[in-house]
Amino acid sequence: MSTLADSIEVATAPTTPAAPRLRPALVDGQRVWVECEEWCVVDHVAENERFLVDVTHAGAAVDLLVPRQNGRLQLLASARILASDSGSVEEREPMVAVDFQDVESLYLSPSEAVVAADRLVEFEARLRALARVATVV
Ligand SMILES: [Zn+2]
């Protein structure tokens, strides 16, 4: 049975930050261990970086794709979380990078426009989710 003392203990438990996630990386041909965020999907061993500060962390891409008449999908924008191990403390904080494709005009049928609108809403929600994940607490 839970007592008042138990609930006070839970409520005042110190919030200790999670231990850093260490993952292997290849730097100048040497295998080293780097701190890597939970959201990072980069295989740091696959890329042989020259210096430790060249290690860059990236999350999975969130893409905005719209259907075209030829049945193919066209990429309009792509967003992901990035963080670098170089620079000042502020420069190392995660940021959300959004790349917009060079699309001059997009002529959509009404049905394509409806799908595009749905995907814009979904992209917006996922972009907000990336911002929440990238926010340093
Ligand atoms: Zn990483």
Side-chain angles (χ1 to χ4, degrees):
M1 186 175 134
S2 177
T3 65
L4 181 60
D6 291 336
S7 54
I8 290 172
E9 184 180 60
V10 169
T12 59
T15 53
T16 52
R21 182 173 79 144
L22 295 176
R23 292 180 61 208
L26 199 58
V27 177
D28 198 25
Q30 302 288 315
R31 183 181 285 247
V32 298
W33 293 89
V34 297
E35 283 187 27
C36 192
E37 301 288 346
E38 285 293 324
W39 45 258
C40 181
V41 296
V42 174
D43 179 358
H44 295 297
V45 176
E47 298 174 27
N48 184 17
E49 299 292 355
R50 183 94 173 90
F51 299 104
L52 192 57
V53 294
D54 294 332
V55 173
T56 300
H57 307 276
V62 172
D63 294 334
L64 173 57
L65 299 156
V66 295
R68 302 313 322 272
Q69 287 179 337
N70 59 12
R72 299 176 61 189
L73 295 172
Q74 182 166 358
L75 179 67
L76 294 184
S78 183
R80 62 188 176 147
I81 302 174
L82 292 178
S84 170
D85 282 353
S86 66
S88 67
V89 172
E90 292 79 23
E91 289 168 335
R92 291 184 211 182
E93 289 182 357
M95 62 180 60
V96 179
V98 184
D99 296 312
F100 292 96
Q101 300 303 304
D102 187 16
V103 180
E104 290 186 7
S105 295
L106 199 59
Y107 301 99
L108 302 172
S109 70
S111 63
E112 288 171 337
V114 169
V115 173
D118 290 344
R119 293 194 171 169
L120 277 168
V121 169
E122 184 184 336
F123 185 75
E124 181 266 352
R126 295 179 73 187
L127 189 57
R128 287 182 189 279
L130 287 183
R132 280 192 298 274
V133 170
T135 300
V136 177
V137 188

